[in-house]
Amino acid sequence: MRRRVGLGAIQQQKLAAEKYKDKGTDLQESQLEQMTKQMEVFRVKLEEFAMKHKEDIRKNSQFRKQFQEMCAAIGVDPLATGKGFWSVLGMGDFYYELGVQVVEACLAANHKTGGLMELDELRRRLIAARGQSAVHQEITNEDILMAAKKLSIFGNGFVVHKLGKGKYIVQSIPGELSMEETNILTAASNTEQGFVTQKQLMRDLGWTEYRSKQSLDKVLGEGLCWIDMQANDEPSYWFPSLFPGRTAQNSTG
Amino acid sequence: MTDFEWPWEYTFPPFFTLQPHEETRQQQLKVWSDLFLKYLKHSNKFTLNINEQDLPLFHNESLKRRLPPEFVLTILEHLQRSGHAAPLDKRRQEWQVYWYTLDEYGNMVYEWVQETGQVNSVCTIYEIAKGENTTQCQFHGVDEAVLVNALRLLEEKGKCELIELDDSHGVKFF
């Protein structure tokens, strides 16, 4: 067969391409329409769901956690919107309230903890602070994390640090914790009593003597830890926020 | 004597090392000061020698931590600033510690005198500190030397006059 050449053939090809394009746009449009419809239905259903289970979400921590996970999966942040249909949930209020309480609890203990508090302790304090009337409003660590993370928009005065293995520590004094400091905290939180020494850092983190000393001096200089000069061989650096004896006696006495 | 309830800090090893960080140190001194007063009140003591190394207050045996004498001195000087302690000798080894400040003691005694209508009458020091009439008062059982110091302060305000008796004091209130 002869190859098709010439103006006619080019025009024909062009025409075909245009037709394909038109069809493609059509398809896209109908798909978008369908998607929009689906989303609308989904939104209505979610709203219905939220309305129906409002009380459950507010009061049942397990339920709330699952609802949060669901929202996270579809990319919705119930906290980001105080207005709109999410406000019917009062989810925002729940976390705003919790956020304020987190700040209160942390600031009240700042002089004792040096501005660092373990998440578990924070939770205990919050539950105690919320009192009898809120007994049914159980709060989980996830709730506190959610509320505390929102507080970071106020600047670096309030930060949540992950110390590995599901351990978190909430920092309630201004100032960034450097990588070094976070590493030291992690090392300390892995000990029973919550302290580190220079040798321990050199051994566990592979740091040089100089680096260990510098970092420890910095942590001490910021008032995050206490130094003990009466230990056997070398000074040890203690974090009141990680010292188990502090809360053990509080709960009994 | 019932068991003394130690604060959690007493089991925190670095509590026995004076902290270099300013804010931490202030907090530490405050806790120690409170602990000193509580401990002395509990054991009914009014004087402290900074070298009493075996006193549980200065030595947590199970923790193997000691409060060094120079640290004790720092705490006592902190107490002195708030009117809760005064050195008894020039070398600042022996200290008188007040559970209440001398001012507070003076006011408490003066209130008691007014309530019981003893203005313009003479009391003995023993009567005020150990007498049957004051058993309900917070100043009951106070060290007599401390009481005399408190009354001297009251005397300066013109509220009483101390009278020298044979080997003790009497006091007349106005």
Side-chain angles (χ1 to χ4, degrees):
Chain A
M1 207 175 109
R2 244 187 88 202
R3 267 181 74 200
R4 300 198 303 173
V5 286
L7 203 61
I10 293 175
Q11 270 174 344
Q12 226 173 2
Q13 273 179 8
K14 226 175 159 183
L15 206 68
E18 254 168 43
K19 271 186 182 161
Y20 282 134
K21 209 175 141 194
D22 279 353
K23 194 66 197 160
T25 320
D26 270 3
L27 272 171
Q28 258 182 4
E29 264 168 17
S30 71
Q31 261 178 3
L32 190 70
E33 204 176 314
Q34 258 187 338
M35 283 289 277
T36 318
K37 257 187 203 161
Q38 275 176 1
M39 280 310 284
E40 185 60 28
V41 172
F42 181 71
R43 203 184 70 91
V44 171
K45 289 280 176 205
L46 194 60
E47 197 170 342
E48 269 172 24
F49 178 84
M51 285 291 273
K52 201 170 149 194
H53 298 284
K54 183 178 166 185
E55 286 300 290
D56 288 325
I57 293 171
R58 279 176 69 87
K59 293 189 176 153
N60 185 333
S61 56
Q62 191 65 29
F63 203 92
R64 188 163 58 240
K65 189 182 155 196
Q66 279 166 0
F67 184 74
Q68 281 293 355
E69 276 166 8
M70 191 174 81
C71 287
I74 56 170
V76 175
D77 184 356
L79 292 191
T81 46
K83 290 178 191 150
F85 86 92
W86 288 107
S87 62
V88 303
L89 263 181
M91 281 300 273
D93 292 345
F94 175 83
Y95 285 102
Y96 297 145
E97 186 186 297
L98 194 58
V100 172
Q101 286 166 341
V102 165
V103 174
E104 279 173 354
C106 286
L107 292 190
N110 257 6
H111 64 284
K112 275 188 185 165
T113 59
L116 294 171
M117 200 188 289
E118 259 201 299
L119 193 63
D120 287 333
E121 188 193 346
L122 179 57
R123 179 163 167 258
R124 276 198 300 279
R125 280 172 183 268
L126 283 175
I127 289 173
R130 288 164 75 90
Q132 293 295 317
S133 62
V135 154
H136 46 281
Q137 275 196 18
E138 212 185 304
I139 45 174
T140 64
N141 283 355
E142 282 82 9
D143 289 333
I144 301 171
L145 276 183
M146 178 73 83
K149 274 174 186 161
K150 290 288 157 191
L151 294 171
S152 58
I153 56 165
F154 294 124
N156 61 5
F158 219 99
V159 194
V160 182
H161 298 280
K162 196 170 193 305
L163 295 185
K165 282 194 297 181
K167 271 191 195 169
Y168 292 88
I169 199 155
V170 181
Q171 180 199 351
S172 52
I173 44 162
E176 300 268 348
L177 277 194
S178 66
M179 274 305 286
E180 315 264 288
E181 289 166 311
T182 317
N183 281 337
I184 292 179
L185 267 177
T186 311
S189 76
N190 286 336
T191 65
E192 228 167 79
Q193 297 280 301
F195 74 93
V196 290
T197 65
Q198 192 179 324
K199 275 186 194 144
Q200 188 188 332
L201 291 183
M202 289 163 65
R203 190 184 60 231
D204 293 355
L205 301 175
W207 287 1
T208 61
E209 192 180 331
Y210 180 76
R211 184 178 174 190
S212 310
K213 183 87 183 77
Q214 285 285 310
S215 312
L216 285 172
D217 282 348
K218 187 152 179 280
V219 178
L220 188 64
E222 285 173 357
L224 293 175
C225 69
W226 292 47
I227 188 170
D228 176 23
M229 302 291 278
Q230 296 181 44
N232 285 336
D233 42 356
E234 57 171 347
S236 48
Y237 298 77
W238 296 71
F239 293 86
S241 42
L242 298 172
F243 182 64
R246 189 167 61 90
T247 42
Q249 203 159 15
N250 273 359
S251 53
T252 54
Chain B
M1 197 166 94
T2 49
D3 273 347
F4 183 67
E5 205 174 290
W6 298 97
W8 71 266
E9 284 93 342
Y10 188 69
T11 61
F12 189 53
F15 190 49
F16 293 81
T17 300
L18 187 63
Q19 294 302 309
H21 185 261
E22 178 64 30
E23 267 178 52
T24 312
R25 186 171 59 238
Q26 289 308 323
Q27 164 69 12
Q28 185 186 24
L29 284 175
K30 189 181 166 296
V31 177
W32 267 119
S33 300
D34 291 348
L35 178 57
F36 266 46
L37 294 181
K38 261 192 213 151
Y39 183 84
L40 291 178
K41 191 171 183 182
H42 184 83
S43 49
N44 212 16
K45 263 171 83 102
F46 286 88
T47 54
L48 261 187
N49 188 302
I50 64 170
N51 294 313
E52 281 177 82
Q53 277 299 297
D54 289 328
L55 202 66
L57 183 62
F58 296 166
H59 183 204
N60 185 339
E61 216 177 334
S62 57
L63 205 63
K64 296 197 183 67
R65 292 292 182 280
R66 283 181 184 280
L67 202 58
E70 57 272 24
F71 194 176
V72 177
L73 191 62
T74 310
I75 296 164
L76 285 168
E77 281 166 351
H78 190 256
L79 282 169
Q80 187 181 15
R81 278 195 289 279
S82 60
H84 283 96
L88 289 173
D89 61 338
K90 280 215 174 105
R91 287 171 55 237
R92 303 173 85 81
Q93 302 280 303
E94 192 83 23
W95 286 71
Q96 203 169 47
V97 182
Y98 316 124
W99 311 342
Y100 300 100
T101 63
L102 293 181
D103 247 348
E104 285 168 342
Y105 271 126
N107 290 340
M108 282 192 270
V109 172
Y110 195 70
E111 260 173 42
W112 169 74
V113 166
Q114 281 182 317
E115 274 168 23
T116 51
Q118 299 188 72
V119 181
N120 282 325
S121 58
V122 176
C123 308
T124 63
I125 296 293
Y126 181 85
E127 218 180 309
I128 298 172
K130 310 262 161 59
E132 286 171 13
N133 296 330
T134 62
T135 45
Q136 298 304 314
C137 301
Q138 271 177 306
F139 57 81
H140 184 82
V142 63
D143 185 77
E144 293 190 18
V146 173
L147 181 59
V148 169
N149 283 346
L151 291 173
R152 287 234 160 81
L153 218 64
L154 216 53
E155 192 177 31
E156 278 172 30
K157 291 183 193 162
K159 285 182 174 171
C160 72
E161 191 184 345
L162 280 162
I163 307 158
E164 300 278 338
L165 299 177
D166 301 335
D167 54 350
S168 174
H169 289 87
V171 58
K172 184 176 181 187
F173 293 96
F174 305 118

